[in-house]
Amino acid sequence: MSSTLFGNYYDGLGHILYIGSTVKCNTSGHFIFGTVVDIIPKSDTKTMYKVIPNIGCSNALLPKLKKYYIISDNNIFLITVKKKS
């Protein structure tokens, strides 16, 4: 990824999510960085995640961040946060 935000603060994407995981998710065509606060199993193969946003964008298409988002498992990625040296 070429984003300055990603390059400065994150060093990888992964797949296994837990409550408290830092994630990047896609909602309505916008990316939101947040924390998983709940895992909601929908079926044997489908899982939904309740995410509280930490960083997001606001514009005409996404005028205001919600308090939380329910994101499907195919629109969410684990992010490993870099530790400051």
Side-chain angles (χ1 to χ4, degrees):
M1 242 188 204
S2 62
S3 168
T4 303
L5 176 68
F6 187 89
N8 287 339
Y9 297 103
Y10 306 106
D11 64 359
L13 297 175
H15 303 287
I16 300 172
L17 301 176
Y18 302 99
I19 293 176
S21 296
T22 304
V23 294
K24 174 184 176 187
C25 31
N26 184 7
T27 179
S28 303
H30 299 281
F31 289 109
I32 294 172
F33 296 88
T35 303
V36 174
V37 294
D38 196 12
I39 299 172
I40 308 158
K42 290 291 184 183
S43 67
D44 291 340
T45 59
K46 189 79 169 164
T47 305
M48 304 293 280
Y49 298 91
K50 184 175 182 181
V51 176
I52 294 178
N54 297 332
I55 301 172
C57 65
S58 295
N59 60 26
L61 299 175
L62 188 67
K64 183 176 168 185
L65 287 174
K66 297 179 187 178
K67 290 188 180 218
Y68 67 88
Y69 292 86
I70 304 295
I71 307 292
S72 68
D73 55 1
N74 59 347
N75 288 325
I76 191 167
F77 302 95
L78 177 67
I79 294 179
T80 304
V81 178
K82 287 184 178 180
K83 304 236 188 290
K84 288 192 174 190
S85 8

